[in-house]
Structure formats: structure tokens, C-alpha cells
Amino acid sequence: LKRSAKSETRRAGPWVVKQSLRAFRSKRCRQAWRAGIYLTRRGVAVPRPAAYVEERRCGIALRSALLVEHLDGFVNVEEHARAMKRRSEDAAEVHRFLNALAQAVGSIEAAEAWHADLSGKNIFTVAGERLTFIDLDDVVVGRSCTRAERLKNHIQLYDSFCDVWGPEFLDPFIAAMLPQDEPEAAWIEAVRAGQRARRARIKAIWEKQSRE
């Protein structure tokens, strides 16, 4: 499914195996295993964790592998959003989907956890109804997110959908995830500014890579 210099992810029947190829990556696989168990026990939808194994030598983890449920029939929410856009522009359907996503994101915060990479590519869905979170090696558990961390997540999410839908859909989506004491207008403006800065950074990286 995916391979880099650091890890390899492949399908094995009804399971997905993510194997670290370097020792220092084992810590991230272990974190994903622990986060998967933690979130599952607190009712947050994630691929069901099945097993975790490490190859150790002299007390040092050399390699590791994480086995989780394969999300059969799921697509990431960015793909789902583009498919909705191509099919029709049903405002009520878009609002229902984004409201369901806002509630799912809220379930992570309610579980006292924080996903550091909450872009749409790390959220999967079936028909816009069932929603689940992947890449759990970026999840911090056992504490509530900070205001800065919440803002980072909202920027990531806004950036995932702003090429598909405009503020008439995304502003209410962001507002639905805010604590009651947070000023809505100022927050949304901060999210928009953060999204523009995020997109500029990504574009600069791409341009640098193309030159190299």
C-alpha cells in the first residue's frame, strides 16, 4: 500500500501491516498501537488494533510491526468530498457530512487525546456516514488538546476542503468544533490565515523539490 525509506505498509487479507524499517521508527509504531487501544476503549472510531511485535537486540528495538483492521470500502474524506462535488451541489448533504465530521473530531477531544496530523487524508469514511481516523502514531493520549493544537487541527481540516467548498460550508463546520467561550469570528479568521500560510509553505517545498 505504501513504502518509504522508513516504513512499509501492506495489506494481508483483512489486515493492514505497518512495518518499521529503522530502529527509531519502532517508537512511532508502539505509539500507534497504544493510541489505537486507548481510543477504541473510549469509543473513538479507529481501525481495530490486533497485534504489535518488536524485534529486539540487547534491549533495543531494531524493527517493529503493527497489525490493524483493513478499512474495506472506505475512502479518505478528501476523496469523498470531491465525489460529492462532482455528483451534485446538495447544500443539505454537504452540511450533514461536515456536521458528522465535526462530531467525530470532537470525539477525539472528548477522549482527552490529540491527533497531530488531522488532515483529510487521515480520516476515512463510508458514504460520508461512518468516519474513522488513521495514522495513530501522531496521536497524543491522556490529555486534552491545547488551544494552539486545536487551531492547528482546524487549519489542517480547512485546508483539506477549501478547494472543494467555500466559507458558506466550512465556516459553520469550524464553528461547530469550537468551545462555547471561543469568539467565533476571530477564530475563523485565524484558521483562514493559517490555511493560507500552510498552503504557501507546501507550495514552496514543492517548488524547491522541482528545482532539485
Side-chain angles (χ1 to χ4, degrees):
L1 300 176
K2 184 179 179 181
R3 183 180 177 88
S4 70
K6 300 174 182 177
S7 65
E8 178 182 83
T9 304
R10 63 185 185 275
R11 183 174 178 182
W15 307 104
V16 169
V17 181
K18 185 170 185 178
Q19 181 176 352
S20 68
L21 302 178
R22 295 183 181 180
F24 71 89
R25 295 289 296 181
S26 294
K27 183 178 180 181
R28 290 179 63 82
C29 278
R30 192 182 310 129
Q31 174 63 17
W33 165 250
R34 290 172 175 168
I37 293 173
Y38 178 96
L39 293 172
T40 298
R41 288 175 176 172
R42 285 157 181 79
V44 179
V46 297
R48 180 165 60 90
Y52 172 74
V53 61
E54 286 184 358
E55 178 186 347
R56 302 180 70 87
R57 187 174 301 167
C58 300
I60 299 173
L62 302 179
R63 294 186 300 172
S64 65
L66 174 66
L67 184 73
V68 300
E69 169 192 19
H70 177 258
L71 298 175
D72 193 32
F74 283 73
V75 298
N76 72 56
V77 293
E78 293 183 9
E79 293 179 44
H80 179 73
R82 290 191 292 268
M84 289 176 65
K85 182 75 172 182
R86 290 192 299 268
R87 186 172 66 249
S88 69
E89 188 63 45
D90 185 335
E93 182 185 9
V94 175
H95 284 302
R96 282 196 301 270
F97 166 63
L98 291 175
N99 185 60
L101 179 54
Q103 292 183 42
V105 171
S107 72
I108 299 180
E109 191 166 336
E112 295 191 330
W114 178 61
H115 197 313
D117 189 5
L118 204 58
S119 70
K121 292 181 176 61
N122 289 333
I123 310 171
F124 276 56
T125 186
V126 173
E129 297 174 358
R130 295 174 58 194
L131 291 147
T132 190
F133 301 92
I134 67 166
D135 272 11
L136 304 185
D137 45 10
D138 284 313
V139 173
V140 178
V141 301
R143 65 166 177 82
S144 300
C145 70
T146 66
R147 188 175 182 273
E149 289 169 344
R150 183 184 296 115
L151 179 61
K152 179 180 178 179
N153 281 166
H154 291 187
I155 291 169
Q156 292 166 340
L157 290 165
Y158 204 98
D159 191 55
S160 292
F161 297 115
C162 65
D163 293 327
V164 180
W165 296 311
E168 69 275 18
F169 294 114
L170 297 185
D171 289 0
F173 167 56
I174 296 298
M177 295 183 288
L178 286 179
Q180 291 184 349
D181 60 349
E182 188 68 58
E184 181 179 315
W187 184 269
I188 290 173
E189 184 53 41
V191 170
R192 291 177 182 172
Q195 182 275 324
R196 291 191 295 269
R198 172 184 168 91
R199 190 65 64 92
R201 287 195 302 270
I202 293 172
K203 184 178 180 180
I205 291 171
W206 288 346
E207 289 176 349
K208 181 179 179 181
Q209 289 174 344
S210 67
R211 289 194 301 268
E212 293 174 349

